[in-house]
Amino acid sequence: MGSQSEHEAFVRQAIALARQARERGDHPFGALLVLDGHVVLTAMNSIFTDRDPTAHAETNLVALAVRQVSRDRIRRAVLYASCEPCAMCVGKMYWAGIRSVVYGLSSDDLAAMAGGDFLVPCRSLFARASSPVAVHGPMLTDEARAVHVGYWSEPAT
């Protein structure tokens, strides 16, 4: 599925996409699909620009992938995300055939910054699936967190 340095390089690209999403006024999340060490597709969160609360980076990426990439290639690809995928994204990824995921910021770290609105660790969800999904992360936590600093209001304590 790739070396640690390869994973880190692709997670950094996802973080850069998250930064671009934030700069254009969307939530700071990015994702990319990698096959055989090459980026096939990229996507950013677009919930504000598309006026769609389900337009997360991962769901946008999967929507592109199922239209442009064969199911066999999707199964062999790795989805890289700047942050741990949410329950909605996990479901869409699984049903599309993605079986490898690598992410930066954990859902727990995101919850500490943005609030814990229905955040379930993706490993818990994938563990219930009938086909195994390889999950790696969190990684590059400080870099992944940095794109969120100052974006979310601090949750009530």
Side-chain angles (χ1 to χ4, degrees):
M1 189 172 124
S3 68
Q4 183 69 18
S5 62
E6 185 176 70
H7 289 327
E8 289 177 357
F10 289 128
V11 168
R12 281 191 177 100
Q13 288 183 45
I15 293 167
L17 290 165
R19 191 171 296 106
Q20 290 175 29
R22 180 178 176 166
E23 289 168 358
R24 74 174 190 194
D26 285 303
H27 286 172
F29 299 97
L32 48 121
L33 193 67
V34 174
L35 181 62
D36 300 327
H38 295 49
V39 176
V40 178
L41 295 168
T42 65
M44 295 178 275
N45 180 288
S46 61
I47 67 166
F48 294 124
T49 54
D50 289 343
R51 296 176 30 177
D52 177 356
T54 67
H56 293 192
E58 299 91 338
T59 60
N60 289 341
L61 183 68
V62 171
L64 291 170
V66 297
R67 288 174 178 84
Q68 298 179 26
V69 180
S70 72
R71 186 152 175 92
D72 175 63
R73 291 182 64 185
I74 289 172
R75 278 191 166 301
R76 293 187 298 111
V78 180
L79 188 146
Y80 288 87
S82 61
C83 188
E84 184 171 3
C86 75
M88 176 186 65
C89 293
V90 163
K92 189 163 186 170
M93 291 159 48
Y94 183 80
W95 292 117
I98 291 169
R99 295 298 182 261
S100 298
V101 178
V102 180
Y103 66 88
L105 192 67
S106 73
S107 61
D108 287 339
D109 282 340
L110 179 63
M113 299 178 81
D117 191 17
F118 196 58
L119 296 176
V120 180
C122 69
R123 277 183 181 84
S124 298
L125 297 168
F126 283 131
R128 296 175 167 268
S130 59
S131 294
V133 177
V135 178
H136 297 279
M139 65 175 54
L140 303 175
T141 302
D142 291 340
E143 293 176 46
R145 184 183 299 114
V147 73
H148 294 269
V149 171
Y151 183 84
W152 310 99
S153 60
E154 293 299 316
T157 56

